[in-house]
Amino acid sequence: MHTIHSTLRRRVAHSGSPLAVCLLLAACGGGGSDGASEPAGFAGGNVALDFTAVAGGTAIDCGTPSIPDLGTTRASARLQDLRLYVSNVRFVRADGSEQPMTLTVAASNDAWNATKGSDSVTLIDLENATGACDTGSGTAATNARVAGSVPSGDYVAMRFTLGVPQALNHLDPMDAATPLALTSMALGWNWTTGRIFSKIEVADPQRDTTPTWSAPVFTAHLGAGGCSGDPGAGTPAVCSRPNLATVTLGSATSPFDPTKQKVAIDVAALVAGNNVTANAGGASGCMSAPTDPECAAMFQALQLGLNDGLPVNGGVGQTVFSAIAR
């Protein structure tokens, strides 16, 4: 055991990855016997990575009549929109090394997936344009799955990027393949800014009868910022705040297994630091502006730097995404 621990310490000392440090140290155990078996991870093969919307521990959707205890005032709300782009899914070994997941698509792109070079992106769409969800910008079709495969291996964690990779983000929606052709997921629209990475909105449950909120909708929109250039004229866009969040689920002591678990998106955790019933300044809710007073709490929940748009500590500590049993 001393030899194993010494080897792990040397590997941790030479690792630049916060997740690698976490995984390797977790592999050392603690309190267990030398003969204790390690929890099983994922052995690879075909992957069906499923997503679901929750508020705390309760499943929610467009038809949920009231979602309680949201934000600093513990308000009740209804879900108005929940769509997000998940990109570059990879599975992680105990030593911190990554294995990219290959999407299962009929061609290079389909209704929910797009690829370009080594980048891939999938639109997770958990709204269906019914109930309180927006019938104007929403769609009846939904998608809760990233499907693909990874080579056989011993994986303890899964990692993805929340957002659209640079190479795909600034394509003209009139020319881009779906799911990047949705103008309802564009910021503006202009090529330079790119897509809305995640579009999560909650609304006053009484907005159509006797409204009680001073701002009827709280928008939690993540997207790139500080962008310059003109892709339409052949000048690539460059964004000083990429706002691409890193999400990692699983560890050596608590592995992620997509055959037994799915990914929960916790709307309550995302808005926990804000009063969803009122606008504190700037745009209603947060639209990723660093000067918007409501963005600080949202970026904290996602473990994103508000001013540089980079993951904080590799995304370790984010509270919005978690692994739950299927």
Side-chain angles (χ1 to χ4, degrees):
M1 177 60 72
H2 174 75
T3 301
I4 294 174
H5 279 248
S6 297
T7 300
L8 287 171
R9 288 192 189 99
R10 288 195 299 270
R11 289 161 71 183
V12 167
H14 288 84
S15 172
S17 165
L19 176 66
V21 173
C22 174
L23 293 175
L24 286 169
L25 291 178
C28 295
S33 66
D34 287 355
S37 60
E38 295 291 342
F42 178 54
N46 292 331
V47 180
L49 188 62
D50 289 329
F51 289 73
T52 189
V54 302
T58 303
I60 60 172
D61 58 28
C62 294
T64 303
S66 181
I67 306 169
D69 299 327
L70 292 186
T72 56
T73 63
R74 305 191 68 175
S76 294
R78 296 198 70 179
L79 184 67
Q80 177 169 285
D81 208 330
L82 204 165
R83 287 177 279 182
L84 54 104
Y85 288 107
V86 170
S87 64
N88 295 338
V89 177
R90 53 267 197 209
F91 282 78
V92 187
R93 303 175 183 89
D95 64 1
S97 61
E98 300 178 350
Q99 177 61 56
M101 173 180 167
T102 301
L103 293 185
T104 301
V105 292
S108 59
N109 304 287
D110 61 24
W112 302 109
N113 306 281
T115 60
K116 184 175 182 180
S118 61
D119 287 317
S120 63
V121 64
T122 300
L123 176 63
I124 298 298
D125 185 344
L126 300 182
E127 60 75 40
N128 61 3
T130 65
C133 289
D134 193 339
T135 57
S137 64
T139 62
T142 63
N143 178 55
R145 174 170 292 181
V146 182
S149 62
V150 292
S152 297
D154 186 8
Y155 306 106
V156 300
M158 180 274 301
R159 181 183 295 155
F160 64 86
T161 298
L162 174 63
V164 181
Q166 170 78 15
L168 291 163
N169 190 33
H170 304 281
L171 303 177
D172 182 353
M174 301 306 294
D175 298 328
T178 52
L180 298 171
L182 290 174
T183 55
S184 59
M185 292 296 288
L187 295 176
W189 162 256
N190 67 78
W191 290 348
T192 302
T193 306
R195 271 71 183 171
I196 299 173
F197 296 162
S198 66
K199 187 177 186 181
I200 299 175
E201 301 173 356
V202 293
D204 182 347
Q206 299 177 186
R207 64 180 177 179
D208 297 327
T209 54
T210 55
T212 60
W213 295 12
S214 60
V217 179
F218 185 89
T219 58
H221 291 185
L222 183 66
C227 301
S228 60
D230 186 356
T235 304
V238 177
C239 301
S240 62
R241 301 190 307 277
N243 291 338
L244 294 167
T246 299
V247 176
T248 304
L249 301 180
S251 69
T253 55
S254 182
F256 178 82
D257 184 351
T259 67
K260 300 176 182 177
Q261 296 169 296
K262 56 186 175 181
V263 181
I265 308 164
D266 192 342
V267 174
L270 182 65
V271 303
N274 284 304
N275 177 0
V276 299
T277 71
N279 182 23
S284 179
C286 170
M287 296 190 182
S288 297
T291 56
D292 190 322
E294 289 153 321
C295 285
M298 186 180 100
F299 274 57
Q300 174 68 23
L302 292 168
Q303 283 294 279
L304 267 178
L306 183 62
N307 295 311
D308 63 11
L310 300 177
V312 176
N313 194 28
V316 175
Q318 64 80 28
T319 59
V320 179
F321 296 89
S322 63
I324 63 173
R326 282 184 173 275

